[in-house]
Amino acid sequence: MSKDKSITAAKETIKHMVPAVGISILAGALGFSALYISPVPMVQDFGKMLKFGVIISFVASIFFLMPILFTRDHFFAQATKKRKLKASNGAFEKILGSLTRGTLKLGPIILTIALLLTIIGVVGDMKVGVETDVEKFMPEDTQELQEIHELRDILGTTDQVVIMYEGANLLEERVIRWVDHQTESLADKFPDVVVNTKSITSIFRTMNHGELPPAPNMEEQVTNLPKNQLKMVITDEQDKGVILVGVKHLGAEDMKQFIDDLRAYIEPESELDLGVTLTGKSVLDVEMISALTTGRYQMTLLGIGLVFLVLLAVYRHFVKALVAIMPISLIIGWSGGLMYVFGFEYTPLTATLGALVIGIGTEFTILIMERFYEERRKGRDRQEAIMVAIQKIGKAIIASGLTVIGGFSALIISDFVILSNFGMMTVINMTLCLVSTLIVLPPTLVLFDRLVKTKEGII
């Protein structure tokens, strides 16, 4: 290829592709930004890395990839290779053309089925559980995990809920009586969960043959306690104390129910003027369940909303912004339905899939939509325009999608269940993105194009 032709090809590529890809990158970055609202720090960091990653990739494609392609075409291209490539492209374009022609003929049926599957999938998604037990994310034969199980068999528990209480004088007799009641009664109140309890009053009882000392003697006994032992249950200032509750290892939902019941049971009388809080790893796990259960819907909806708004600002046309986001939004329902069918549970990673799909999948729809309206501006009718768009850019879309699928497929073989499930569901979702882009998008574009004012050179 001559130098002039190489320069012309580079200019045309930048002129036609960079704006479309730039819009898709902007939309994707905003879609990933929805992960920032998650209360789980690892999810927030994941969103930041995704956003920075796509922006850096876009910049690199312009300033590094384009010079490489120019150098290849100008100095190393061979006519025989170009002829083979042309023949290969021609065969693939025919396949894409046949596929698109079929989707247009069955357009109403395809859109109806896609919508029904989304509705069914959303219903199934609501029944999908949430798993936050770190032990279930690890390989069962991990030595550290086996040691935890052995320690649990010996001690009865390795999990703990902490009841933290605050007040002006925690050695006041009324407060001590309340702490003692909680410490002694929790095992009877929750016999299937509570294994043991420890507090300042249990230490007093150990020191006094199972009895509480008289109130005047408490200060003296506290003074005589070893500092390292005392700090486990009460501060030096005696304004904060804890009741350590050893509990059995429970599933996420059972633990949530126990903590709700425990919170109601330990509520002190108002005259004690105590501030009581539940904390500990088990409580944090329950809070994460709530964050993932409700937060994943919020992240997904916010991602869809942000992408729609940026497309609306760019296109200044409601229908065009809607068409770009609609085929990918349907996938959220499909994905949830498949998780229910396959028996997967949401984890801190799979909870991000909604925003991930929106961020990546919208790029595919925007590129094809841009190519479609470019052909419409040339005067082609709707069906001819979508045929040309799919044939010319479909191969690049498929290659891009398969690259993502190939990259995430490596996670499937991970020994860690949390990574393996995330890899599997990402592969499934990216496959659905390609299916939706190549099958659902063409009839959607043709259907809604009637609402877009189109004439040569202006849309």
Side-chain angles (χ1 to χ4, degrees):
M1 184 182 290
S2 68
K3 181 178 180 180
D4 291 340
K5 289 184 177 180
S6 297
I7 294 175
T8 301
K11 288 181 177 179
E12 287 297 312
T13 300
I14 293 176
K15 176 182 176 181
H16 292 285
M17 289 303 297
V18 169
V21 175
I23 294 172
S24 65
I25 292 298
L26 178 60
L30 282 176
F32 297 144
S33 297
L35 298 177
Y36 292 177
I37 69 169
S38 172
V40 184
M42 64 177 288
V43 174
Q44 298 174 13
D45 293 340
F46 184 50
K48 293 175 185 177
M49 294 306 299
L50 287 173
K51 185 174 70 172
F52 293 144
V54 296
I55 294 174
I56 292 172
S57 298
F58 177 58
V59 174
S61 67
I62 297 175
F63 294 101
F64 292 98
L65 179 60
M66 290 303 299
I68 292 173
L69 293 176
F70 174 83
T71 302
R72 182 205 64 176
D73 289 343
H74 184 61
F75 295 104
F76 301 102
Q78 298 179 10
T80 54
K81 289 185 178 180
K82 288 189 288 183
R83 282 197 295 268
K84 289 181 181 180
L85 180 60
K86 184 176 181 181
S88 175
N89 283 342
F92 200 81
E93 287 176 1
K94 289 180 181 178
I95 295 174
L96 290 175
S98 300
L99 175 64
T100 305
R101 194 176 296 109
T103 61
L104 294 179
K105 288 182 180 178
L106 301 174
I109 297 176
I110 290 174
L111 295 178
T112 301
I113 293 176
L115 185 59
L116 287 175
L117 288 176
T118 300
I119 296 173
I120 294 172
V122 169
V123 174
D125 180 74
M126 294 179 178
K127 300 178 181 179
V128 176
V130 179
E131 183 57 72
T132 61
D133 188 348
V134 176
E135 294 182 17
K136 293 185 178 180
F137 298 156
M138 302 171 64
E140 294 183 1
D141 57 352
T142 302
Q143 181 179 351
E144 292 79 5
L145 185 59
Q146 292 177 352
E147 290 174 351
I148 289 176
H149 291 165
E150 292 176 4
L151 183 62
R152 186 176 294 142
D153 291 338
I154 296 172
L155 299 179
T157 181
T158 56
D159 297 341
Q160 195 175 72
V161 173
V162 179
I163 304 174
M164 186 174 72
Y165 54 98
E166 301 177 69
N169 181 12
L170 298 188
L171 294 182
E172 182 183 354
E173 184 175 1
R174 293 186 305 166
V175 175
I176 289 294
R177 296 294 178 188
W178 177 83
V179 173
D180 185 58
H181 171 72
Q182 304 300 331
T183 306
E184 296 297 312
S185 66
L186 287 178
D188 295 330
K189 179 64 177 180
F190 306 100
D192 297 328
V193 180
V194 176
V195 177
N196 53 56
T197 56
K198 184 177 182 179
S199 68
I200 186 67
T201 60
S202 63
I203 295 176
F204 282 153
R205 286 184 178 276
T206 301
M207 296 171 61
N208 295 275
H209 309 289
E211 300 292 333
L212 285 178
N217 297 346
M218 288 183 184
E219 287 279 0
E220 180 183 352
Q221 292 196 7
V222 167
T223 304
N224 294 332
L225 280 173
K227 289 290 184 182
N228 59 344
Q229 186 176 10
L230 184 64
K231 287 182 177 180
M232 293 178 61
V233 292
I234 196 170
T235 61
D236 293 337
E237 294 78 11
Q238 300 178 8
D239 59 349
K240 294 183 179 67
V242 295
I243 303 173
L244 305 177
V245 184
V247 296
K248 294 180 180 178
H249 189 70
L250 301 176
E253 291 300 323
D254 291 337
M255 181 59 73
K256 182 179 185 304
Q257 184 61 53
F258 165 68
I259 289 175
D260 289 341
D261 294 341
L262 179 62
R263 185 175 283 116
Y265 178 74
I266 64 173
E267 184 68 26
E269 297 84 354
S270 57
E271 58 268 17
L272 286 180
D273 194 25
L274 287 178
V276 179
T277 306
L278 287 184
T279 185
K281 178 182 175 299
S282 298
V283 177
L284 292 177
D285 286 345
V286 168
E287 292 299 324
M288 188 160 63
I289 290 173
S290 177
L292 293 176
T293 303
T294 59
R296 73 175 188 269
Y297 297 121
Q298 296 170 355
M299 287 187 294
T300 300
L301 293 175
L302 180 60
I304 293 173
L306 289 174
V307 173
F308 176 78
L309 289 176
V310 72
L311 294 178
L312 187 62
V314 171
Y315 292 129
R316 288 176 294 178
H317 198 294
F318 180 86
V319 173
K320 292 180 70 175
L322 179 64
V323 168
I325 199 70
M326 188 174 72
I328 301 303
S329 299
L330 296 177
I331 296 174
I332 306 303
W334 303 354
S335 174
L338 288 175
M339 288 194 70
Y340 176 72
V341 171
F342 291 152
F344 288 155
E345 292 185 312
Y346 280 106
T347 68
L349 288 181
T350 53
T352 67
L353 282 174
L356 186 65
V357 168
I358 294 298
I360 296 177
T362 306
E363 177 184 354
F364 300 160
T365 60
I366 290 175
L367 292 177
I368 289 182
M369 189 178 76
E370 284 288 312
R371 193 71 171 84
F372 170 76
Y373 285 115
E374 181 181 340
E375 296 301 322
R376 290 288 282 135
R377 285 192 292 269
K378 293 178 181 179
R380 298 184 188 274
D381 62 30
R382 298 184 182 102
Q383 295 202 5
E384 186 181 6
I386 192 61
M387 288 284 293
V388 172
I390 295 293
Q391 287 178 322
K392 296 302 181 183
I393 205 172
K395 184 177 182 180
I397 295 295
I398 293 174
S400 177
L402 291 179
T403 300
V404 176
I405 289 172
F408 280 101
S409 294
L411 297 177
I412 297 176
I413 64 174
S414 173
D415 292 333
F416 288 83
V417 178
I418 186 173
L419 290 177
S420 179
N421 287 353
F422 177 66
M424 175 65 73
M425 287 309 304
T426 304
V427 167
I428 291 174
N429 280 313
M430 289 303 102
T431 302
L432 293 177
C433 280
L434 289 177
V435 170
S436 184
T437 301
L438 297 176
I439 295 179
V440 177
L441 180 61
T444 303
L445 277 170
V446 171
L447 175 65
F448 282 91
D449 185 62
R450 295 174 175 85
L451 303 177
V452 179
K453 184 178 180 180
T454 305
K455 54 185 176 181
E456 189 173 352
I458 300 175
I459 292 187

